[in-house]
Amino acid sequence: MKVRNPRTGQYDYELLVDTPKMVENKVGEIRVAQKAWQKCTIEERVSVLQKWLSSFTQFQGEIAELLAIDTARKRIAKVETGGIIGLMQAWSYRAPQLYNPPAERPSASATTVQIGQQWVPYGVVGVISPWNFPLLLALIDTIPALLAGCGVLLKPSEVTPRFMDGLEKSIAAVPELAAVLKLVRGGAEAGKAVVNNVDAICFTGSVPTGKKIGAACAERFIPAFLELGGKDPAIVLEDADLEVATDAILRSCVGATGQACQSLERIYVHENIHDLFVEIITQKAKAVTLTTNPEKGQMGPLIFEKQAEKIQEQIDDAVTKGATILCGGKVENIDGGLWCAPTVLTNVNHDMEVMVDETFGPLIPIMSFSTEEQALEWANDSIFGLSASVFSKDRDKAIEIASQIEAGAISINDGSLTNKVYDAEKNSFKESGINGSRMGDAGFLRFFRKKALLIQTAHPETMANFEEKNT
Ligand code: NAD
């Protein structure tokens, strides 16, 4: 597979794709090694993870450089590698505290029976990840799954695959880990082969692919943990601090060029502050600098060509239906890279794609509302339910509004806090995902099946008890 460089537009990297047979073989190898891995104590697995932490640290610079080519972002590449070290440390500390199968106890319903409880990890977990945060989303589920005693087959996105070369070196340096963690290279076909061979799937990606994977997992009767797209709304109440709201909303909409699942993508502002809000955020949006010189600037190019087309289509659709562009508004080719400056749109409504379909780009479409009921109705008028924001100086009022939004995490007086807060459990609503949370303690506990050993301590019941004539 030829891979496009998002800064130059050149196809300057070749991805050697794993065939379905190679994927099957890798799963077979992991299965053999996983048996011993599962028998290790949690402390032994933590000590292997610590070895990986030190080899990862050794290759951190190389991995960050490759990621920076994959994504055309230097600073965020460093944040991603640093984030992985943080995750390794956090799970090394937390997983042994959480691994706590209950001690043997008598049953309350059958008092002569003792209950022994075992936690059995899924054998091989398949992790399939997207291109927007290629390293972080490849490892966010992988690390706790490994600590739970699962083997992991990891298939990152074919759009941003260079970082795998560095990551693989860090894994190879720890043979015990390399036996239970293997990488797969390729696109949909390789992903399908992963789904066809593993015992559970952790998938992060789009809703359409998530539905296909969910159906394939249902067919195989294996669990699918699906973390999918979003169309996050922000509600800005009349009493909101406008500096706070405009800073947070701008950062959340255009940070990482809007290519984050938890980006704010539609803004509802109270009519009494709407015009001032629009004026301030437009000024701030115009001040955002592009990293056309890779050594400076705040916002990079769009990573994925097809996404750039979709963003332009949404802008065109909105303008055709009457939207006003106050800044930005065009995907431009600069030296081969595809760039879109922060784009503020007003006079938008829910008949426009930009207010209902995921954008995954730096657009800020703003509507004004007159009542809280109206704002909530619009916020909930979506197939998505990933996350959302509420802005108000009144904490209780903000919580009251947040409680009525159909989404898994609500940031109050900020945007996209789920990219910083990893220890708050949350479930996606509607089509944004399904099954156990990757955040919080569930991020580790969901990898175990609970097995009951039921030990009879008295003589077993006999057939004499079923005699009808004694009834
Ligand atoms: P995508 O669905 O196109 O691809 C994701 C992964 O699935 C890739 O590795 C791809 O090769 C693989 N794949 C594609 N078809 C497959 C199939 N039939 N079977 C198995 N694997 C298959 O998503 P994308 O464009 O890479 O990522 C962007 C999407 O990811 C957005 O919708 C975004 O919102 C979402 N996302 C969600 C979260 C979250 O935590 N909820 C985080 C980041 C991104």
Side-chain angles (χ1 to χ4, degrees):
M1 264 181 178
K2 299 265 185 225
V3 180
R4 183 178 167 276
N5 180 320
R7 184 168 284 283
T8 64
Q10 302 290 316
Y11 287 78
D12 60 1
Y13 181 87
E14 211 161 279
L15 183 69
L16 295 175
V17 171
D18 284 81
T19 63
K21 185 72 196 154
M22 288 160 78
V23 173
E24 193 186 321
N25 290 344
K26 284 183 182 179
V27 174
E29 286 167 26
I30 297 175
R31 263 190 211 296
V32 173
Q34 188 271 338
K35 289 192 169 55
W37 181 244
Q38 176 180 336
K39 283 189 189 138
C40 292
T41 63
I42 181 100
E43 288 75 20
E44 285 166 339
R45 288 197 288 270
V46 166
S47 80
V48 173
L49 192 80
Q50 289 295 313
K51 286 190 206 164
W52 185 22
L53 198 161
S54 72
S55 72
F56 184 89
T57 309
Q58 203 186 322
F59 290 101
Q60 189 179 1
E62 183 177 337
I63 297 169
E65 272 174 32
L66 294 168
L67 257 186
I69 304 172
D70 277 327
T71 58
R73 311 183 293 223
K74 277 169 52 171
R75 189 180 172 82
I76 295 176
K78 283 195 179 146
V79 171
E80 273 196 72
T81 52
I84 293 306
I85 289 173
L87 276 177
M88 288 178 175
Q89 286 165 335
W91 281 121
S92 293
Y93 172 76
R94 188 71 183 133
Q97 294 175 340
L98 292 172
Y99 184 76
N100 189 21
E104 199 178 301
R105 67 182 196 283
S107 162
S109 56
T111 49
T112 62
V113 176
Q114 289 287 115
I115 299 175
Q117 202 91 66
Q118 295 181 336
W119 291 6
V120 185
Y122 291 102
V124 183
V125 173
V127 174
I128 300 176
S129 52
W131 50 261
N132 59 325
F133 292 94
L135 175 75
L136 180 71
L137 294 169
L139 297 187
I140 191 167
D141 300 322
T142 297
I143 293 166
L146 286 167
L147 283 179
C150 309
V152 175
L153 187 68
L154 165 61
K155 195 208 79 66
S157 170
E158 71 277 21
V159 178
T160 49
R162 296 167 179 83
F163 80 96
M164 280 192 264
D165 298 340
L167 179 66
E168 213 162 38
K169 289 183 194 168
S170 78
I171 297 168
V174 187
E176 312 94 295
L177 179 77
V180 288
L181 171 58
K182 295 190 188 298
L183 303 190
V184 166
R185 289 172 168 80
E189 289 313 307
K192 284 182 201 165
V194 171
V195 174
N196 284 337
N197 285 282
V198 297
D199 307 312
I201 282 286
C202 291
F203 171 75
T204 310
S206 63
V207 169
T209 309
K211 285 185 176 176
K212 285 185 203 157
I213 290 180
C217 289
E219 199 63 48
R220 291 202 55 231
F221 241 76
I222 61 169
F225 301 101
L226 305 180
E227 300 275 354
L228 311 179
K231 184 74 192 169
D232 286 4
I235 296 180
V236 185
L237 297 177
E238 190 177 3
D239 72 340
D241 181 320
L242 282 185
E243 284 305 316
V244 166
T246 50
D247 275 342
I249 289 172
L250 177 67
R251 193 208 71 240
S252 175
C253 288
V254 314
T257 323
Q259 303 163 119
C261 55
Q262 77 288 355
S263 293
L264 286 171
E265 293 210 349
R266 49 200 177 108
I267 317 301
Y268 305 101
V269 184
H270 191 275
E271 60 188 3
N272 290 350
I273 55 164
H274 171 268
D275 292 356
L276 188 55
F277 176 92
V278 169
E279 191 186 318
I280 299 174
I281 202 162
T282 304
Q283 261 173 24
K284 290 181 180 175
K286 283 180 180 166
V288 172
T289 50
L290 302 183
T291 62
T292 42
N293 171 351
E295 300 309 319
K296 55 182 193 191
Q298 298 162 346
M299 208 187 83
L302 298 161
I303 294 173
F304 189 30
E305 249 175 334
K306 287 200 189 119
Q307 202 66 37
E309 280 168 26
K310 188 172 168 190
I311 293 164
Q312 188 63 61
E313 276 167 23
Q314 286 195 357
I315 295 171
D316 294 344
D317 171 74
V319 170
T320 308
K321 291 174 179 163
T324 307
I325 293 176
L326 297 179
C327 60
K330 197 159 180 45
V331 175
E332 288 176 293
N333 185 320
I334 305 176
D335 299 330
L338 299 169
W339 300 76
C340 180
T343 297
V344 176
L345 296 132
T346 53
N347 296 319
V348 290
N349 60 53
H350 280 217
D351 292 333
M352 299 174 184
E353 289 164 18
V354 74
M355 292 305 283
V356 291
D357 290 346
E358 189 176 40
T359 305
F360 232 53
L363 309 192
I364 314 170
I366 306 169
M367 282 173 75
S368 92
F369 67 85
S370 50
T371 65
E372 285 158 11
E373 291 69 33
Q374 190 174 50
L376 279 165
E377 195 182 313
W378 283 332
N380 288 332
D381 176 25
S382 174
I383 59 161
F384 299 101
L386 191 66
S387 38
S389 283
V390 178
F391 291 85
S392 169
K393 285 188 194 129
D394 180 341
R395 193 175 182 276
D396 293 342
K397 173 53 93 187
I399 289 173
E400 185 197 319
I401 297 291
S403 307
Q404 296 173 75
I405 299 178
E406 296 159 1
I410 320 290
S411 301
I412 292 178
N413 291 325
D414 205 338
S416 314
L417 281 175
T418 48
N419 70 7
K420 288 195 169 71
V421 179
Y422 286 51
D423 49 353
E425 196 165 329
K426 66 171 191 86
N427 294 118
S428 297
F429 286 36
K430 304 192 231 178
E431 295 193 10
S432 287
I434 194 163
N435 282 332
S437 171
R438 73 158 40 137
M439 305 296 200
D441 296 346
F444 171 72
L445 297 171
R446 68 189 168 142
F447 292 114
F448 295 102
R449 287 156 297 180
K450 306 288 162 55
K451 185 168 173 177
L453 300 182
L454 306 175
I455 307 157
Q456 180 59 274
T457 60
H459 193 89
E461 190 175 11
T462 67
M463 280 310 292
N465 282 2
F466 294 88
E467 180 50 60
E468 294 283 8
K469 80 176 181 203
N470 299 337
T471 303

